[in-house]
Each structure stands twice: as structure tokens, then as C-alpha cells.
Amino acid sequence: MTIPEFIATQPAERQELLAQLHEIIIQKDKTVTPVIAPMMGKDMIIYNAPGTFKYGLASVKNYMSLHVLPMYGAPVIYEKYKALLKDASFQKGCINFNNATEMPLKIVKELITDCSKIDLRALREEQLKARAKKTAVKKAVAKKK
């Protein structure tokens, strides 16, 4: 299924907003490639960056969701956009919304622009190095006891 075909299968009142959000993502983050794929038990538009999932755009029974993995790994971005998108419902790595009023396109453009600068592979490597260092310190302390 193509992206336009997927959007066309969504409720009519959501189609324009989903299409606009899709365009924002592919215009503002040139690192991603969109595909229709299942995630969390439902088909959605998945935006993959080299080597990793970066965004997901879903339309479920009672709301739409924008999954934003960079937001999950960058608390500064999470807090900034939680304050700006006051009418949307924030989870750890996604934003649930019902309409364009809750998800203003101007703010979404800023969000994706900010997230486009985040290299998720590099972020993950930093996390793994920090975890390895923490583990090494714990082992060294345990040996001394």
C-alpha cells in the first residue's frame, strides 16, 4: 500500500491533516524514508532513518498519534513541545491528538526541524557507552569490597 492509499483509507475528517503532517515530516527531515508497516499492532506510516525507526504517524479509533523517537531520547525537546502543544496528550515518545487545533502545523514544523538534527544511532551509541561505563564502575567498586 502506498502512503496516499493509506491516508485515503482513514476517516475523511482526518485525511487532510494526516497528509499535511506526512508532507512536513518528509520535507523537514531529509534523513527519513516513509513506509506503511505495522507497529504496536496496527498499520501506520513509519519513517525510518538510516538504521533505525525515527517517527510514526498513526490513525486509530479515537485519535491520531505522532510517534517521535528523538523526543523520547531528548528531554529538552519533549519538555519544549509539551509546553507548546498544550491541547495534545503526550506519552513518553508520542503525541496523541484529535485535530489540527491540538496539533498546529507551524509547531509540528518546528518539532520535526528540531528532531531532524538528532542522529539516533549516535545517541544510542552514547547511551550504550554510558551504560558500559556505569557497569564497569559498579564492578570496580564491588571488587574493592
Side-chain angles (χ1 to χ4, degrees), residues 7 61 115:
I7 291 172
K61 187 176 180 180
C115 290

Side-chain angles (χ1 to χ4, degrees), residues 67-86:
H67 299 265
V68 186
L69 194 58
M71 184 175 71
Y72 183 78
V76 172
I77 289 177
Y78 179 90
E79 293 302 327
K80 175 181 178 180
Y81 289 97
K82 187 174 182 183
L84 290 171
L85 297 167
K86 293 179 179 129

Side-chain angles (χ1 to χ4, degrees), residues 4 7 12 16 19 21 35 37 40 56 60 65 67 75 77 82-83 85 90 98-99 103 114-115 117 120 124 130 138:
I7 291 172
E16 183 178 357
L21 292 169
V35 297
M40 299 185 337
V60 295
S65 293
H67 299 265
I77 289 177
K82 187 174 182 183
L85 297 167
F90 275 68
N98 293 300
N99 52 49
M103 200 70 161
D114 284 350
C115 290
K117 300 168 189 167
L120 291 173
R124 181 68 179 146
K138 283 183 180 180

Side-chain angles (χ1 to χ4, degrees), residues 1 6 36-39 41-45 57-59:
M1 179 182 309
F6 174 79
I36 303 299
M39 187 172 94
K42 55 191 159 284
D43 281 347
M44 64 178 71
I45 307 171
L57 185 57
S59 176

Side-chain angles (χ1 to χ4, degrees), residues 63 65 71-72 78 82 88-96:
Y63 55 87
S65 293
M71 184 175 71
Y72 183 78
Y78 179 90
K82 187 174 182 183
S89 174
F90 275 68
Q91 308 302 316
K92 285 183 180 179
C94 76
I95 306 165
N96 299 325

Side-chain angles (χ1 to χ4, degrees), residues 18-44:
L18 290 168
Q20 290 170 326
L21 292 169
H22 170 68
E23 287 301 315
I24 288 169
I25 294 167
I26 61 173
Q27 287 175 6
K28 297 294 180 182
D29 192 338
K30 301 296 185 187
T31 69
V32 297
T33 303
V35 297
I36 303 299
M39 187 172 94
M40 299 185 337
K42 55 191 159 284
D43 281 347
M44 64 178 71

